[in-house]
Each structure stands twice: as C-alpha cells, then as structure tokens.
Amino acid sequence: IARMTQEEVDEYRQELEGIKVKGKGCPRPIRAWAQCGVSKKEMEILKKLAYEKPTPIQTQTIPAIMSGRDIIGIAKTGSGKTLAFLLPMFRHILDQPPLEETDGPIAIIMSPTRELCLQIGKECKRFTKALNLRVVTVYGGTGISEQIAELKRGAEIIVCTPGRMIDMLAANNGRVTNLRRVTYIVLDEADRMFDMGFEPQVMRIIDNTRPDRQTVMFSATFPRQMEALARRILNKPIEITVGGRS
Ligand code: ADP
Ligand code: MG
C-alpha cells in the first residue's frame, strides 16, 4: 500500500471524525473501494456512477459486514447507507452455491415503505445485471399476482415491506417462495419500521430464516427502546455511528 500524503491523512482523519464504534473485533475502516473486496465488475459500475470513494458510514460498515459480523449502522439520511449493505450482500450471495429451481432467496432486505423498497431496488439493479443476480421487490398497495409470478421465476434478492412479505409467504398455500436459504438479512430504516408497528411481521419473517444468518440493521436514529429488540435479532453486533445516535 502506497504511503498517504499528509493531505490525504488529514482528509482521512476529518472523515473518520465522528465515527464511533461499539463492540469488539471491528475491522479497520477502508479508505478506497479497492480495500474492501469489491469485484472488478462492481468497481466499473462504481466508477460509472462517479462514486469516487466510500462515504464515512460506508468506510466502517462495509469491512465490518464483509468480515461476517452483525452490525447496527446509524447515520443520517443521505449518507449512503444503501450501498453500505448492498456491496457486502453481493459478495455474500456470490460466495454461496447458485440457487436450485425451488430455492427461495439468499438475501432479504426489509424496509418500511413502498417508496423506499423501490429506491433500494433501483440502486440494487444498477449492479445486479452485471453480476447476474435477480431482484424482486415486494410491497403492498398494488396487485400481488405480478410479484408472485416474478418470485416464482426465482430471485437471489427480495426487497420488501414486512406486511406484504407475510402475505407473500402465505399466498398459494405457501408455495410462492420460502426463506430456507436466507442467510443475509437487512433491516433498513429500522427506527421507522418499528415506529410503524412492523415488529411482529419482522420477527415472523426472521423466524423463517436460518439461525446461522448474518443480520444487519441500518437506521437514521437508534432510540433506546430499539436496543432490546436489536439484541434479540442480532448476534454480538458491532454498533457503528456517524455523527451521534440521537
Ligand atoms: P441513506 O440511505 O443513508 O439515506 P442513500 O443510500 O439513499 O442514503 O444514498 C444517498 C445518495 O448518495 C444516493 O443518491 C446514492 O446513490 C449516493 N451515494 C451513495 N454512496 C455514495 C458514494 N460512495 N459516493 C457518492 N455518492 C454516493
Ligand atoms: Mg436509506
């Protein structure tokens, strides 16, 4: 690794200022995409998107998730949390044996609203075409049959609202999909998800997945009331905060 210039060191420190890490064994933050195990194809896409380098929350959460740990990532809206869970997710999926005909997804991303699901789906699809992965978005307020048809064709990734996902698991006598191969779970905007009362649905979905799963939680805030719940869902999590947990 080339030595950093003083200017780079100063910039790095400034960026890292305000990153707090709670929990043992957190890997060091990265300062460039090349340091975190992204593939050549992903690098090309990052370049095309003009995402020059990781944002502060990405510098610390990406290596922590890539190392296999459960994490809670807290940073304000617009700080780049989506990519922070997507890049490690792609690697997680590509490390698994490919899906068989009747397999359900490997990764499931939960988010509180249809709009957020669509946004995450869009960011995800910027990468999945080149990576040969399939994404299905599952949300309410629209007909379920098309989403069922898409899921039946198979997908490595589901982006969903918890309510519609529960409906989906019950649809067609439970033959649409299954969560037996899920080993990567994301709870995005976790604070809003629990404010909106989705806790029972989230727990039911998680109960249908494998016990050896990796679970990551992202949120703009992490109120004290969420701690007990996080402890129940996550396994020895590392808590990573940028700019105060409020
Ligand atoms: P959050 O979930 O924290 O609110 P998003 O993941 O929606 O934030 O990202 C906010 C914006 O920043 C999006 O338009 C996203 O494409 C962009 N973005 C994400 N990561 C980077 C990066 N490393 N460099 C530049 N832009 C980025
Ligand atoms: Mg977000």
Side-chain angles (χ1 to χ4, degrees):
I1 296 172
R3 282 187 59 163
M4 292 158 93
T5 64
Q6 188 56 47
E7 194 181 68
E8 284 172 322
V9 172
D10 290 342
E11 191 188 18
Y12 190 40
R13 287 207 183 109
Q14 213 162 41
E15 257 178 32
L16 294 192
E17 224 174 305
I19 297 186
K20 277 193 238 62
V21 173
K22 231 170 89 183
K24 287 205 178 84
C26 188
R28 287 172 52 185
I30 52 162
R31 52 189 291 274
W33 297 121
Q35 292 176 310
C36 71
V38 285
S39 66
K40 215 176 138 206
K41 280 181 194 157
E42 289 162 336
M43 285 289 262
E44 279 166 22
I45 296 163
L46 290 166
K47 207 168 168 186
K48 239 188 272 165
L49 292 170
Y51 291 1
E52 246 172 77
K53 57 177 191 220
T55 65
I57 188 73
Q58 292 166 358
T59 62
Q60 187 57 86
T61 53
I62 290 175
I65 302 172
M66 292 266 194
S67 79
R69 296 290 299 268
D70 283 6
I71 69 124
I72 304 168
I74 306 151
K76 66 176 196 297
T77 302
S79 54
K81 296 191 288 296
T82 315
L83 207 58
F85 58 75
L86 289 182
L87 290 177
M89 176 185 79
F90 297 140
R91 195 168 89 175
H92 179 105
I93 295 170
L94 294 168
D95 280 345
Q96 311 290 319
L99 290 189
E100 306 274 346
E101 180 100 30
T102 56
D103 282 344
I106 295 170
I108 179 161
I109 302 168
M110 289 181 248
S111 128
T113 69
R114 162 203 170 113
E115 284 67 36
L116 286 164
C117 279
L118 289 168
Q119 268 177 39
I120 296 165
K122 195 172 149 198
E123 186 101 343
C124 200
K125 283 172 190 162
R126 289 183 167 136
F127 293 87
T128 46
K129 196 159 172 238
L131 300 176
N132 224 349
L133 298 174
R134 294 158 297 174
V135 194
V136 174
T137 41
V138 169
Y139 50 81
T142 177
I144 199 170
S145 52
E146 198 174 312
Q147 294 173 3
I148 289 176
E150 268 189 273
L151 262 187
K152 278 188 164 168
R153 287 196 287 274
E156 285 78 12
I157 304 154
I158 293 183
V159 183
C160 64
T161 53
R164 176 55 73 95
M165 192 61 216
I166 294 286
D167 295 345
M168 192 57 91
L169 290 171
N172 293 9
N173 294 316
R175 284 194 301 264
V176 180
T177 189
N178 68 77
L179 306 181
R180 287 191 292 273
R181 273 202 65 179
V182 171
T183 46
Y184 189 91
I185 300 182
V186 180
L187 302 182
D188 192 32
E189 305 247 359
D191 51 356
R192 280 177 72 191
M193 200 127 62
F194 297 113
D195 276 349
M196 290 169 72
F198 281 134
E199 182 180 337
Q201 288 93 331
V202 169
M203 294 311 294
R204 260 177 73 190
I205 291 165
I206 290 179
D207 283 343
N208 275 284
T209 64
R210 291 163 49 127
D212 61 347
R213 68 181 183 262
Q214 182 179 14
T215 313
V216 304
M217 198 184 244
F218 280 87
S219 204
T221 66
F222 188 50
R224 300 269 166 215
Q225 311 87 275
M226 262 172 64
E227 268 178 47
L229 184 89
R231 256 199 303 275
R232 253 199 306 148
I233 295 175
L234 305 169
N235 176 28
K236 299 197 191 84
I238 301 173
E239 188 182 309
I240 298 160
T241 313
V242 174
R245 62 179 262 173
S246 66

